[in-house]
Amino acid sequence: MDEPILSVRNLTVHYIKEDSTVRAVNGLSFDLANKETLGLVGETGAGKTTTALSIMRLIPNPPGKIIEGEILFKGEDVLRYNKHRLLRMRGRDISMIFQDPMTSLNPVLKVGDQIAEVIHIHKKLSNKEANIEAMKMLEVVGISSDRFNDYPHQFSGGMKQRVVIAISLACNPKILIADEPTTALDVTIQAQVLEMMGALKKNFDTSMILISHDLGVIAEVCNRVGIMYAGNIVEIGNLEDIYVNGFHPYTKGLFGSIPDLDSDTERLKPIEGLMPDPAHLPPGCPFYPRCPERLPECKTKLPGAVELSPGHLIRCVHAKKN
């Protein structure tokens, strides 16, 4: 197999406050293959956005701190990059689409100038050449180049997100991290943006990490899926592994709480309880208090990852009993 373009190894991130320490990410590990799209799914507070910000080295410090781990981009540890190398990486090697397009754009700058700025910095083009490239990028994402001089407030939410995507892809990055890119959009616009992102990813040969709480969106876009809970991936595999052969009790619970038009079910089966407070995680398996399949050992023992089939890994004591 080819070497992964990105490898996250034992990543641990804490937010340290005066009265508590929030353990946002806890020993997280995963690989991203070249041209692959990996989906990270989980409830609010699972650590998805913190993982993305860690890869970009954008964890606010204080209070955030990367305690340990490695983030290897093409074999180089991003956590060891100096300031100059980080600036070169962001936008050129790895780019990120943030959750809310309304706050991702500078309201007092023309959208064309915001795209051109990224191109000018990373491609070392003149202002005129960067402007021409920016106009081309607007056309690529389905916006007329005539709108180069318009301001963000003159665009709808869906059009703003297209501008954000144009900025993210302007320098043809190797990896695109999309953090819930369609959350603020209505369903029709959401479908258009996802279709466009899929086409652009293919045209630009870009690997992608798509963060979402929507399993339908993940199924439509991704090759592999990681289910996150309390700062770690509890199950990861291809679409069939997760959507058909999901093994972890949390994975089963997620799918059990989604309406299924093909089955005659009177009531959904929601997961009981709430995700644990990351400042006070329980010992052992963090899903233990909510797990319908828990064993006494789950209360004190944190299971390691077990490979049920090639690429299908689960963190659960039941996996060892199979």
Side-chain angles (χ1 to χ4, degrees), residues 232-245:
N232 211 334
I233 290 176
V234 296
E235 184 165 6
I236 189 169
N238 61 33
L239 290 178
E240 183 178 355
D241 292 334
I242 303 301
Y243 285 73
V244 180
N245 302 314

Side-chain angles (χ1 to χ4, degrees), residues 84-131:
H84 178 69
R85 180 67 183 91
L86 273 178
L87 291 175
R88 284 173 51 213
M89 177 198 80
R90 294 176 187 144
R92 193 189 72 169
D93 297 328
I94 306 176
S95 195
M96 184 167 175
I97 301 171
F98 293 92
Q99 285 188 23
D100 187 0
M102 316 301 175
T103 57
S104 297
L105 297 170
N106 189 324
V108 300
L109 291 181
K110 299 170 184 176
V111 296
D113 289 339
Q114 295 187 55
I115 302 171
E117 180 183 18
V118 178
I119 297 169
H120 176 68
I121 291 171
H122 290 294
K123 292 189 175 181
K124 308 298 182 185
L125 299 179
S126 67
N127 289 335
K128 183 178 180 180
E129 291 170 328
N131 287 348

Side-chain angles (χ1 to χ4, degrees), residues 41-100:
V41 188
E43 297 172 79
T44 300
K48 306 184 299 297
T49 296
T50 296
T51 299
L53 293 176
S54 299
I55 295 170
M56 297 296 294
R57 286 279 303 275
L58 291 173
I59 294 291
N61 184 11
K65 186 176 182 181
I66 297 176
I67 304 299
E68 64 175 322
E70 294 179 319
I71 300 171
L72 304 174
F73 171 67
K74 291 186 173 181
E76 293 184 18
D77 191 355
V78 172
L79 300 182
R80 297 181 180 274
Y81 283 0
N82 58 30
K83 186 176 180 181
H84 178 69
R85 180 67 183 91
L86 273 178
L87 291 175
R88 284 173 51 213
M89 177 198 80
R90 294 176 187 144
R92 193 189 72 169
D93 297 328
I94 306 176
S95 195
M96 184 167 175
I97 301 171
F98 293 92
Q99 285 188 23
D100 187 0

Side-chain angles (χ1 to χ4, degrees), residues 9-20:
R9 292 286 175 267
N10 198 35
L11 180 66
T12 302
V13 184
H14 292 173
Y15 292 95
I16 302 168
K17 303 179 180 180
E18 289 184 6
D19 57 345
S20 64

Side-chain angles (χ1 to χ4, degrees), residues 251-272:
T251 305
K252 295 176 185 176
L254 285 180
F255 283 97
S257 62
I258 299 173
D260 185 356
L261 297 178
D262 296 325
S263 63
D264 186 15
T265 305
E266 291 186 4
R267 294 182 65 87
L268 298 176
K269 297 178 181 178
I271 303 172
E272 294 183 2

